[in-house]
Amino acid sequence: MIRVLVVDDEALIRTGFQHILDAADDIEVVAAVPGGRAVVTAQETHPDVVLLDIRMPDVDGLTVLAGLRRLPHPPVVAMLTTFDMDEYVETALRSGAAGFLLKDTDPEGLPFLVRTLADGGTVLSSKVTRTIVDGYLQSGSQEPPPRSLGRLTDRERAVLVLIAEGLSNGDIATRMHLSTGTVKDHVSAILTKLEVGSRVQAALLAERAGLLRPPRHRERG
């Protein structure tokens, strides 16, 4: 079972997400709480995935994200927002968020997105993926590719390209004829060598460095 924690200041949103996800046989919503209770609840329930509102009145979503990332075994966190482009999205991704979803995401696709997150995949709303990536590339366009890319082995570079294409650990394992455990080891090594906190950051570095040729245009999420 994939254990999910839903964090949102609106009770209606929390209830709706819980109802949708609990209908899936392999997903259990362990709690649905407002932002002020998020970190403590995560410590108590040990979720695999957290769906976290990025804008809440009682506590800032980025503050909650930082608290979740400091846990001994931090969950995968995807940020939720009602805006097509949120000014805090880039900060959230740089801070270790594994995805970004609009609250009007198709309910039928929500369980699949949670499974993707739990399997180590990257989830970005199709409405804003290109905008986020373009903004990141533009902001770093004057910077040379990080030297840390040179630390990667050929196999790690191949895994990094597949991460940037949005594949989960299971998909990468199938594509490269490796075990899922081996892929997880490669991903861990990649994040360490690139000195980044999430797959999203690693994927954006790969795209900025030109490892994806031709440039990627398909949408994820």
Side-chain angles (χ1 to χ4, degrees), residues 20 67 157 170 181 193:
I20 294 168
R157 277 178 173 259
K193 291 180 179 181

Side-chain angles (χ1 to χ4, degrees), residues 186-210:
H186 284 317
V187 172
S188 178
I190 290 167
L191 298 184
T192 298
K193 291 180 179 181
L194 295 184
E195 300 178 357
V196 296
S198 73
R199 297 165 71 100
V200 174
Q201 292 171 286
L204 293 174
L205 285 180
E207 185 152 5
R208 197 182 80 194

Side-chain angles (χ1 to χ4, degrees), residues 11 21 72 93-94 98 148 199 207:
L21 294 174
L93 296 178
R94 290 180 182 274
S148 53
R199 297 165 71 100
E207 185 152 5

Side-chain angles (χ1 to χ4, degrees), residues 144-187:
R147 294 181 180 179
S148 53
L149 283 170
R151 304 173 189 168
L152 302 182
T153 66
D154 289 342
R155 175 159 287 185
E156 288 167 351
R157 277 178 173 259
V159 171
L160 176 59
V161 169
L162 296 181
I163 290 174
E165 291 180 359
L167 273 66
S168 68
N169 289 341
D171 293 333
I172 294 173
T174 300
R175 181 79 65 86
M176 298 187 67
H177 306 288
L178 301 171
S179 70
T180 302
T182 297
V183 172
K184 288 181 179 179
D185 289 341
H186 284 317
V187 172

Side-chain angles (χ1 to χ4, degrees), residues 78-152:
M79 310 303 293
L80 302 172
T81 185
T82 57
F83 302 98
D84 284 4
M85 186 56 197
D86 193 297
E87 61 183 292
Y88 297 133
V89 168
E90 183 176 344
T91 302
L93 296 178
R94 290 180 182 274
S95 299
F100 168 63
L101 298 173
L102 296 179
K103 291 183 182 180
D104 63 356
T105 295
D106 181 6
E108 293 184 0
L110 186 59
F112 170 78
L113 298 177
V114 167
R115 295 184 189 105
T116 300
L117 289 164
D119 192 35
T122 298
V123 171
L124 296 176
S125 170
S126 60
K127 292 184 180 180
V128 294
T129 299
R130 195 69 252 166
T131 303
I132 294 172
V133 172
D134 287 348
Y136 182 93
L137 296 180
Q138 183 177 4
S139 67
S141 61
Q142 302 303 316
E143 303 174 10
R147 294 181 180 179
S148 53
L149 283 170
R151 304 173 189 168
L152 302 182

